[in-house]
Amino acid sequence: MLLVIDVGNTNIVFAVHDGQDWLGTWRVATTANRTSDEYASTLLVLMEKQNIPVHQITRAIIGTVVPPVLYQLLTLCRKWFFVDPIVASAGLDWGFEIQTDNPQEVGVDRLLNGLAAHQLYGGPLVVVDLGTATTFDIVDKDGNYCGGVISPGLTLSLEALHSAAARLPRIGFGRPQSVIGKETIGAMKSGIYWGYIGLIEGIIERIRKEYSVSEMTVVGTGGLARLLAEGTPIFKEINAELTLEGLRILANRNSSGNKKINKI
């Protein structure tokens, strides 16, 4: 069985795959000062509830955009699962070219999304990841990573609006019933929701023109993808687990990098 660890700025996703199916997927808050034992105390209980024995984990892979937590997660894998994990990086065998000026600078989550999306849906395509940041990543017909766009995420924009404007309240995110708000909260919700719809549609249109193709599959991922997809037909596919799939595929391509270790 493969243990997959996807570390985002907001959440860490732990998942177990048995070669055929995902047996369990769990999310915990990303906390830089949490120890490996604290992660273990949470993860082992969750695995037990899904009847997944610890000793059946024979491989592991970590993908992280938060470097400070990496050491504790490496220790988690080695101490509690007795496996030396693969760490996703640009230097691994991805099966495609990273066509950017500095491949090491590209967030591994973006490469993972591109890897999984191309295998699942073909190319050319654009992956729109609606997380802490909103990212657009372009993959050509052969699966090569061509670059992308990064903009502030929805939750960051909501917090900035509240923090910078003294009279504007902190609000939750949802789809408004109309574009024109009749009071302050309604106007804020409309600006955020339809503003991001406009951002997505506008950037995709410009990407298609710059790439000189009329058709590019647009794949949405991230926690808010389905909600935003309700407001635009631009998404062809929504896959909330795209990064996990990318980690699974990458682990299989680089299986020689995994090995069981002696108990410590």
Side-chain angles (χ1 to χ4, degrees):
M1 288 187 186
L2 172 69
L3 173 65
V4 172
I5 306 175
D6 172 26
V7 185
N9 290 296
T10 304
N11 292 317
I12 298 176
V13 181
F14 295 97
V16 174
H17 198 276
D18 68 354
Q20 299 293 327
D21 299 297
W22 293 103
L23 302 184
T25 304
W26 312 279
R27 297 176 186 272
V28 302
T30 302
T31 307
N33 60 0
R34 185 175 290 174
T35 69
S36 61
D37 293 337
E38 289 174 315
Y39 283 120
S41 67
T42 299
L43 179 57
L44 297 183
V45 170
L46 293 170
M47 289 177 61
E48 183 179 4
K49 288 184 179 296
Q50 294 289 115
N51 297 315
I52 303 173
V54 172
H55 71 271
Q56 290 190 8
I57 300 298
T58 57
R59 300 184 297 143
I61 186 167
I62 301 170
T64 179
V65 297
V66 188
V69 305
L70 178 58
Y71 174 77
Q72 297 299 337
L73 293 173
L74 287 169
T75 304
L76 167 72
C77 293
R78 292 165 179 161
K79 180 178 180 180
W80 293 94
F81 296 95
F82 315 115
V83 64
D84 204 14
I86 296 169
V87 178
S89 69
L92 294 177
D93 173 15
W94 291 83
F96 58 74
E97 294 182 9
I98 305 172
Q99 299 175 345
T100 61
D101 293 339
N102 190 346
Q104 298 295 335
E105 287 184 353
V106 182
V108 294
D109 55 334
R110 302 171 67 191
L111 298 176
L112 291 163
N113 287 342
L115 174 64
H118 186 265
Q119 179 153 321
L120 292 170
Y121 310 116
L125 60 86
V126 182
V127 178
V128 184
D129 189 347
L130 293 143
T132 305
T134 298
T135 60
F136 301 75
D137 294 297
I138 295 88
V139 177
D140 68 17
K141 62 181 179 63
D142 298 318
N144 299 313
Y145 180 84
C146 302
V149 178
I150 302 174
S151 62
L154 286 131
T155 54
L156 288 178
S157 296
L158 282 170
E159 283 301 309
L161 198 60
H162 167 68
S163 300
R167 298 190 62 185
L168 295 182
R170 178 180 281 110
I171 62 171
F173 180 72
R175 180 183 180 182
Q177 296 302 308
S178 60
V179 175
I180 301 172
K182 297 298 185 180
E183 32 71 39
T184 299
I185 291 177
M188 291 172 67
K189 286 185 175 181
S190 180
I192 292 292
Y193 186 87
W194 296 112
Y196 269 84
I197 293 294
L199 171 76
I200 292 166
E201 292 177 339
I203 289 180
I204 293 297
E205 180 182 358
R206 289 175 180 273
I207 288 171
R208 284 172 172 163
K209 287 181 179 178
E210 189 168 310
Y211 199 75
S212 301
V213 296
S214 58
E215 290 299 324
M216 294 182 79
T217 300
V218 180
V219 181
T221 191
L224 296 172
R226 292 193 183 279
L227 182 58
L228 282 164
E230 294 175 6
T232 175
I234 203 161
F235 293 103
K236 182 176 180 181
E237 303 285 348
I238 299 293
N239 188 333
E241 309 302 337
L242 204 58
T243 312
L244 290 181
E245 284 293 329
L247 282 164
R248 180 187 64 79
I249 296 166
L250 187 66
N252 289 339
R253 289 192 64 88
N254 295 267
S255 57
S256 60
N258 262 145
K259 61 180 182 293
K260 292 291 282 186
I261 60 178
N262 295 327
K263 293 184 179 182
I264 58 175

